[in-house]
């Protein structure tokens, strides 16, 4: 027994010596604790910021496309342009007064969320990060990259200003008004204009400046920049592009691709739908028609009907000159007039209009498509306008049709979304109840979901929209006019 | 931490080295023991009883005649102990003399009370249940052998009170949604951590880059097919699982495989067994609305399964090897849901000496299955049959052709899984035992979701698409457990256990997508015109060490103290080791002298117990880091913000209080176990918004508090026990009350559901409460189209349980039944909502009428009416087994079983057990009913021939 114990101890000692030796040399082999995050961490980004200007600009461009897609989708539903037929888009958007800061489509933050507010703020913050950090550290950064970063910051502020009444624009501070933000956007566009050497970017900046001045209520500068744009690029067109693989056009998904018929247009606008039929269809964001429409609105404000009508005609001419496409719309749509013989009344007292409804569904012929601009008005319609109300009504009908599915109608109706609850819950400097946290709906907007309601009388062959919203705008112009 | 790991390695390898130098069978002066184990009442031999010499590795198992032999026992004094399920354990003191054989026979008393059963999960060392201060459930070999179910999640159904294992659909490859004692996290999965022979195995589902095929997701639980399971131990979280630290809040499931000498194997002679099972699967059509669906979508599936098994060896070296293959044509037309499983298993146990043994198990699974796009997918065939009116004459002139196109997109998945475990035990002396575990679980799956060119119009992808996702998962486990039984100090005995455990996980996914095939007939990515790829990698290390002390006083009162320290690479950089303490006490009252004799006749045994402990649930890897994204945009990479990061990220911590009793009545023929539990999860991970103005999205932060409480009662009753009839009745009830106690200042958030009725996390409500519109009753009693938004319902059933019986007639015939039930939960009927959308009268009439024609109700303004009670009673399984003795030397076993054939008390609208659309992130709480392919009714006939 004693002998066994000695043997045992000897074994222990020899084993330990060998093991200590092995472990001393093999710790790298057997260390299981090291983990590596192979995505881009803050440390790895800041250590490798040189050359970061290029991906920054791509990121900004992509983010604008993403933000714009959601803005277009939800603001079109909120406006009278589109009716939401299904449940996957917030059902409260069709009734603007019921929109809350925690709306399921508008709220939420995160890169996978659909919140236009989040994505616009993300665009703005990314531009800030680019200007403050990336471009400062990138020794290869170009003037053009700096110009574009300022331009995208301006676009974020412009789109926020058009769709929200007040909001914060930097961390640890409260909200500013839309007007204040639009003036900051003006500054950004001016810096970009000075930095860029490209005509396209200069034209973008000129038009964006006109648009920002319009929202800011600065008639003189709006007119000046609109004319600058016409002088520089009278047919200017910038479209947001969608990459079908990494960033498909989400608007086409909801207006065409999903067989659930989620978004259906007001019959008055049926002829314009679908503007973007495929997941790589671009959507216009800055186009020269706007310059003419801003000039028309300035002329109305100046009491100059002749000029107003002239600019409206020019807008129609330009719109008519844009490309026209074809599309086989073979899906049978729910709750949508589908007979080309049907005539449409803008409201019960309006005249019947022909040719607004196109035949769709299985067996139908191809329908026309207006990927850039389309309008039912012709120059003669403008010539016949006499009263100020009719001119304003037609101007806003032109804006509605030309900017159809471009996320402009809600803003034209004077509706402003509330800043989301995700922001006010998380931001101690901007709590619920602060300016901008409630939906703004002008008093003339009809109750409930009435704004885009219509009735169809198949026997008489008439579709009657319950409200001509452009007439209501004209009658209540003082409530929403920019200047 | 690294220092600790190295220290542990040193210890493990050192001890291994010593042991391997030990002469294996070098005992010069040995004797042997033989004997017979019988049932005291019936005087029948007991097959498969375990005999062990306490303090050694020497033991045996009784054969078909109840006989056992233990050879080569060093001369000396021993305690011999005999254990058998459903019997009281017996011990005897014996003396073995060199060169002699002694006969030691036992007669065991049957008992419904399982107090003597030994469990090892969660205690550090093996321990009898009577000493436990918290409940550990076991599923015995007998119960496992009765089941015809292949995978672990199916096996768990109805077996453990308080543990739910619901299969979300009848699609192959979709694993069960397992929950124990409610939902403890608002973001992380409820699946318990699973160990096979001490090795942590993959229990994940919903892979990051897998194709979205609707509502169902693939799960690694579905291929957790383990050839030969001997026993399963289940900890339902709480103090019992404290020693598993940061991963144990949802409980722990330990699977132990067979290594040879069990189940009546005669040592020395290989025993072959061949079995064949065939049968049918029939679709559950109770909730199918359209005749066309019944005629054209479903079929009866044919099942066949074969298994060959050999066990044998000696007391010193035994083995268990088996191979099986199963094939099911599935219940969808054209065999669109085929399911093939191949399994190879080998278990080995070698006694390395009288102080040490080595156990090895290796399991390989090949799983090939098909699925179809389903549930919430627009082109899912079932939805188009059941509500979209796609195949009606108003929509198509050629329904047959359209149906065949809708059935073309499909998903094929192939899984290779290898699980390996080595366990070495070593007891240098009787009081001190050591166990070393090392092993791995490797799982690789390839998913191919294919929509051929001819389906381009229905999938809205020109030219169709192929999406391939490869996931590779590797988990390495390394563990050491030591146990030291200190010398008794008078009436006080003490066992100290200590150890450490570490695991490392590599979870890598790579996917490729090909869009727009030029020609039909190919599903290869290079044949597509547009090719993209994606990748996602995760790594995790978790390590910890523990010490427990179990103090016995007069062998009646047992105090249990423990502490675990954990480090984990998913914790924030400012977070150090986490501590998990536990304490408990068990008191075997009926062993006291003062326990009245007259009471013993009624309540023969009574154990009171209470425990307190902390467990954890660690965050997902890398959630702690601030990260940026780089996304493609027209072939260029674009920078953006991604995750805000949190340096203080730590595990959710669940503190549990358990109290209860185990009692045996009427000569231990009735056993009742009762638990009360209350579990409070603090630092619960909630998705907390960051200011949008900063550009980052939400961050998971430790801010919430969640409570689960309830009771669990389980009952076993040996109702009849005669020579010819043996009837055991069993049943259980568990309740759970789940509530979010605090949001920590964060706002409520959505975890799933749809915009008109999302499932929410809200303070004061159960996890997943629905936010719905409730029609408002006006003062005059009418409905005028007004509504109020309210939080209602609970996706987690409040009452669940099982019931059943085992009846043995004339030794050779046995009939068993297992039923399950659930009540007190809700399910949202999305199926009816979709039928409302498409104007089906039966669904439209569910919506209340408004007296104001201008304000009619719809499914949005009256979404509350689509919340259904999810009550159900299901006869999960009825099995009849017959042992035909005379035809062959060892007889033949016939088995007939019906699974999921009967269901009662359910909603007429939707299958309450299924889940139509998956929640976001890792958490899955269920409660969404839709047009799901229900779990099929299964009929099986099996023949088993022992050779």
């Amino acid at each position: 027994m004693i002998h066994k114990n000695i043997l045992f101890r000897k074994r222990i000692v020899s084993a330990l010596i060998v093991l200590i030796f092995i472990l001393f040399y093999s710790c790298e082999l057997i260390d299981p604790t090291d983990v590596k995050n192979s995505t881009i961490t803050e440390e790895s980004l800041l250590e490798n910021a040189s050359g970061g200007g290029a991906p920054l600009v791509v990121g900004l461009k992509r983010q604008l496309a993403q933000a714009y897609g959601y803005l277009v989708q939800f603001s079109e539903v909120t406006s009278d342009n589109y009716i939401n037929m299904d449940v996957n888009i917030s059902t409260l958007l069709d009734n603007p007064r019921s929109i809350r800061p925690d709306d399921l489509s508008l709220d939420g933050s995160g890169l996978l969320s659909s919140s236009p507010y989040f994505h616009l703020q993300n665009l703005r913050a990314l531009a800030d990060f680019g200007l403050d950090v990336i471009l400062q550290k990138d020794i290869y950064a170009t003037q053009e990259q700096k110009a574009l970063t300022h331009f995208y910051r301006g676009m974020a502020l412009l789109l926020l200003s058009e769709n929200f009444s007040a909001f914060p624009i930097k961390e640890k501070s409260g909200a500013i008004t839309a007007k204040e933000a639009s003036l900051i956007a003006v500054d950004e566009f001016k810096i970009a204009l000075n930095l860029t050497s490209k005509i396209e970017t200069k034209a973008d900046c000129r038009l964006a400046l006109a648009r920002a001045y319009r929202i800011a209520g600065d008639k003189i500068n709006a007119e000046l920049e609109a004319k600058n744009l016409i002088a520089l690029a009278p047919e200017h067109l910038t479209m947001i592009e969608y990459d079908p693989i990494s960033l498909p056009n989400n608007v086409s998904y909801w207006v065409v691709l999903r067989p659930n018929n989620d978004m259906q247009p007001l019959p008055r606008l049926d002829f314009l739908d679908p503007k973007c039929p495929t997941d790589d269809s671009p959507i216009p964001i800055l186009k020269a028609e706007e310059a003419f429409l801003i000039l028309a609105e300035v002329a109305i404000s100046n009491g100059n009907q002749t000029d107003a009508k002239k600019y409206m005609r020019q807008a129609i001419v330009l719109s008519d000159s844009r490309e026209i496409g074809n599309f086989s719309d073979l899906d049978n749509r729910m709750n949508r007039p589908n007979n080309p013989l049907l005539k449409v009344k803008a409201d019960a007292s309006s005249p019947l209009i022909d040719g607004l409804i196109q035949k769709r569904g299985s067996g139908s012929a191809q329908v026309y498509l207006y990927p850039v601009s389309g309008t039912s008005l012709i120059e003669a319609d403008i010539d016949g306008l006499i009263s100020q109300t009719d001119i304003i009504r037609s101007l806003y009908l032109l804006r509605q049709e030309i900017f159809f599915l471009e996320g402009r109608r809600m803003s034209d109706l004077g509706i402003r979304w509330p800043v989301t609850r995700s922001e006010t819950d998380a931001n101690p400097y901007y709590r619920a109840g602060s300016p901008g946290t409630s939906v703004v709906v002008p008093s003339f907007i009809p109750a409930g979901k009435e704004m885009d309601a219509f009735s169809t009388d198949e026997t008489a062959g008439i579709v009657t929209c319950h409200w001509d919203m452009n007439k209501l705008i004209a009658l209540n112009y003082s409530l929403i006019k920019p200047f | 931490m690294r220092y600790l790991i190295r220290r542990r390695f040193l210890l493990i390898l050192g001890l291994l080295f010593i042991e391997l130098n030990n002469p294996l069978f070098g005992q010069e002066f040995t004797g042997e023991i033989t004997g017979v184990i019988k049932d005291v009442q019936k005087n029948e031999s007991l097959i498969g009883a375990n005999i062990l010499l306490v303090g050694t590795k020497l033991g045996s198992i009784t054969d078909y005649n109840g006989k056992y032999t233990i050879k080569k026992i060093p001369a000396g004094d021993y305690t011999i102990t005999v254990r058998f399920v459903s019997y009281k354990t017996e011990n005897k003191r014996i003396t073995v003399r060199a060169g002699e054989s002694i006969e030691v026979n036992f007669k065991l008393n049957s008992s419904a009370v399982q107090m003597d059963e030994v469990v090892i999960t969660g205690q550090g060392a093996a321990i009898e249940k009577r000493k436990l201060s918290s409940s550990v459930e076991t599923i015995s070999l007998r119960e496992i052998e009765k089941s015809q179910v292949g995978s672990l999640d199916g096996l768990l159904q109805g077996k453990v009170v308080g543990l739910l294992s619901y299969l979300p659909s009848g699609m192959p490859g979709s694993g069960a949604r397992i929950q124990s004692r409610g939902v403890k996290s608002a973001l992380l999965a409820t699946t318990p951590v699973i160990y096979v022979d001490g090795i942590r195995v993959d229990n994940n589902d919903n892979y990051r880059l897998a194709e979205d095929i609707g509502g169902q997701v693939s799960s690694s639980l579905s291929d957790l097919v383990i050839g030969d399971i001997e026993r399963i131990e289940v900890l339902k979280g709480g103090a019992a699982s404290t020693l598993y630290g940061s991963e144990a809040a949802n409980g722990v499931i330990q699977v132990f495989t067979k290594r040879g000498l069990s189940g009546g194997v005669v040592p020395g002679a290989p025993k072959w067994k061949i079995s064949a099972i065939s049968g049918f699967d029939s679709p559950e059509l109770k909730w199918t609305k359209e005749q066309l669906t019944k005629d054209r979508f479903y079929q009866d599936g044919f099942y066949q399964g074969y298994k060959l098994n050999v066990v044998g060896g000696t007391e010193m070296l035994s083995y268990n090897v088996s191979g099986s293959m199963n094939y099911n044509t599935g219940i969808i037309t054209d065999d669109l849901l085929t399911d093939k499983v191949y399994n190879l298993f080998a278990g080995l146990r070698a006694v390395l000496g009288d102080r040490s043994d080595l156990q090895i198990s290796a399991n390989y699974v090949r799983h090939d299955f098909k699925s179809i796009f389903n549930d919430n997918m627009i082109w899912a065939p079932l939805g188009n049959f059941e509500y979209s009116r796609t195949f009606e004459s108003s929509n198509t002139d050629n329904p047959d052709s359209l149906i065949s196109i809708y059935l073309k997109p499909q998903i094929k998945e192939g899984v290779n899984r290898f699980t390996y475990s080595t366990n070495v035990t070593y007891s240098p002396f009787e009081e001190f035992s050591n166990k070393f575990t090392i092993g791995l679980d490797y799982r690789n799956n390839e998913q191919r979701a294919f929509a051929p060119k001819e389906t381009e119009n229905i999938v809205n992808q020109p030219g169709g698409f192929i999406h391939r996702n490869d996931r590779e998962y590797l988990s390495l486990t390394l563990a050491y457990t030591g146990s030291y039984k200190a010398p008794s100090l008078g009436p006080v005995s003490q066992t100290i256990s200590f150890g450490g455990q570490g695991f490392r996980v590599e979870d890598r996914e790579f996917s490729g997508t090909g869009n727009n095939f030029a020609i039909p007939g190919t599903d290869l990515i290079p044949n597509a015109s547009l090719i993209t790829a994606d990748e996602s990698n995760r790594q995790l290390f978790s390590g910890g060490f523990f010490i427990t002390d179990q103090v016995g006083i007069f062998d009646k009162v047992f105090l249990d103290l423990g502490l675990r320290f954990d480090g984990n690479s998913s914790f924030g950089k400012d977070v150090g080791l986490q501590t998990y303490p536990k304490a408990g006490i068990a008191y075997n009252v009926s062993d006291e002298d003062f326990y009245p004799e007259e009471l013993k006749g009624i309540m023969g045994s009574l154990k009171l117990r209470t425990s307190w402990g902390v467990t954890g649930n660690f965050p997902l890897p890398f959630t702690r880091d601030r990260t940026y994204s780089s996304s493609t945009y027209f072939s260029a990479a674009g920078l953006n913000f991604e995750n805000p990061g949190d340096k203080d990220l730590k595990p959710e911590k669940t503190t549990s209080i358990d109290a209860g009793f185990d009692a045996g009545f009427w000569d231990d023929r009735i056993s009742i176990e009762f638990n009360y539990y209350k579990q409070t999860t603090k630092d619960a991970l909630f998705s907390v918004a960051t200011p949008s103005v900063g550009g980052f999205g939400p961050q998971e932060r430790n801010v919430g508090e969640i409570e689960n409480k309830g009771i669990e009662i389980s009952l076993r009753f040996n109702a009849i026990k005669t020579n010819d009839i043996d009837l055991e009745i069993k049943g259980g009830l568990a309740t759970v009350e789940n509530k979010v106690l605090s949001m920590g200042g964060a706002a409520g958030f959505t975890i799933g559901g749809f915009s008109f009725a999302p499932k929410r996390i809200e303070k004061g409500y159960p996890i997943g409460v629905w936010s719905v519109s409730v029609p408002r009753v006006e003062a005059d009693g009418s409905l005028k189209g007004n509504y109020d938004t309210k939080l209602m319902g609970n996706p987690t059933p409040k009452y669940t349980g099982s019931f059943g019986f085992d009846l043995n007639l004339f030794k050779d015939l046995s009939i068993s039944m297992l039923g399950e039930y659930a009540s007190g939960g809700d399910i949202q009927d999305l199926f009816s909502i979709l039928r409302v959308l498409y104007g089906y009268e039966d669904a439209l009439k569910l919506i209340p009428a408004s007296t104001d024609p201008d304000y009619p109700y719809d499914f949005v303004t009256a979404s509350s009416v689509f919340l259904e009670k999810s009550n159900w009673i299901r006869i999960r399984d009825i099995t009849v087994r017959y042992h035909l003795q005379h035809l062959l030397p060892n007889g033949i076993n016939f088995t007939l079983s019906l699974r999921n054939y009967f269901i009662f008390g359910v909603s007429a609208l939707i299958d309450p057990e299924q889940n139509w659309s998956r929640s976001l992130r890792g958490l899955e709480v269920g409660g969404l009913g839709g047009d799901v392919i229900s779990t099929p009714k299964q009929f099986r006939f099996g023949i088993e021939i022992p050779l």
Side-chain angles (χ1 to χ4, degrees), chain B residues 280-512:
Chain B
F280 293 94
D281 281 8
S282 306
E284 175 57 84
L285 300 175
K286 198 179 184 75
W287 298 279
T288 303
K289 294 280 190 291
E290 304 298 312
Q291 188 59 40
L292 188 69
T293 319
K294 295 175 187 172
D295 297 342
R296 298 295 308 277
F297 182 65
Y298 287 115
Q299 67 174 17
D300 284 333
F302 174 66
Y303 173 87
Q304 51 184 319
Y306 308 94
K307 183 172 179 181
L308 183 65
N309 171 252
V310 59
V311 292
T314 65
E315 295 87 347
M316 292 304 188
L317 183 70
S318 63
Y319 55 87
N320 183 89
V321 179
S322 66
S324 68
M325 51 188 184
N326 302 283
Y327 177 61
N328 198 332
T329 60
I331 53 169
I332 305 301
T333 185
D334 300 338
D335 296 351
L336 288 173
L337 290 189
T338 54
D339 189 11
K340 281 185 210 169
V341 183
Y342 303 89
N343 178 222
L344 292 172
F345 172 80
L348 179 81
R349 177 175 181 255
V351 176
L352 304 180
D354 62 346
R355 299 288 176 209
S356 175
D357 75 355
L358 167 73
Q359 300 186 39
I360 292 174
S361 66
N363 192 63
Y364 169 75
V365 176
R366 170 76 200 180
H367 189 194
D368 289 302
F369 59 94
K370 287 189 206 164
S371 28
I372 52 173
F373 287 90
N374 57 74
D375 300 359
N376 193 17
M377 183 59 80
I378 294 170
W379 62 83
L382 184 56
N384 285 279
F385 273 107
E386 282 287 278
Y387 63 78
S388 296
R389 298 185 186 273
T390 310
F391 309 123
E392 291 183 6
S393 55
S394 55
N395 283 321
T396 175
D397 302 332
N398 191 349
D400 286 344
S401 159
L402 198 57
I403 287 171
S404 75
I405 290 177
Y406 268 86
L407 291 172
K408 278 198 163 62
Q410 63 170 274
I411 301 99
K412 288 180 186 168
E413 202 154 337
V415 180
N416 283 303
R417 186 168 194 169
F418 180 69
T419 311
Y420 172 82
S421 154
T422 300
N423 282 281
V424 177
T425 59
Y426 173 58
S427 305
F429 47 93
E430 188 177 333
E431 292 78 15
F432 182 36
S433 68
N434 301 276
K435 183 177 175 189
F436 313 96
T437 304
I438 185 165
L440 61 91
D441 182 34
Y442 175 81
R443 183 178 183 277
N444 186 302
N445 71 317
E446 175 192 326
Q447 181 209 47
R448 299 181 72 87
F450 176 50
K453 184 174 168 59
E454 52 267 48
T455 66
E456 59 188 354
N457 289 329
I458 63 164
V459 301
N460 294 318
Q461 301 259 2
F465 68 86
I466 173 81
H467 177 93
R468 169 178 169 164
N469 181 43
D470 282 28
R471 175 175 180 268
E472 188 180 46
Y473 177 96
L474 175 67
S475 164
L476 291 168
T477 306
L478 200 60
Y480 163 75
T481 306
S483 175
Y484 175 67
K485 192 174 178 190
S488 296
L489 295 168
V492 179
S493 62
Q494 187 169 211
T495 304
I496 298 166
S497 301
F498 42 87
Q501 184 205 41
F503 62 84
R504 182 180 175 84
V505 173
E506 302 276 340
D507 180 351
R508 306 166 71 83
E509 288 189 44
F510 186 83
S511 74

Side-chain angles (χ1 to χ4, degrees), chain B residues 42 44 47 64 723-726 807-815 879-887 890-896:
Chain B
K42 297 194 236 175
E44 274 176 9
I47 306 162
Y64 270 110
N723 278 342
D724 294 330
I725 303 173
D726 195 339
L807 173 65
N808 290 293
L809 294 169
F810 311 108
K811 295 177 192 170
D812 296 326
L813 178 67
S814 73
I815 303 167
T879 301
V880 180
R881 293 164 73 90
Y882 180 66
H883 180 69
L884 182 65
Q885 297 215 17
H886 308 297
L887 214 57
N890 292 319
I892 307 177
N893 297 319
F894 294 97
T895 309
L896 199 73

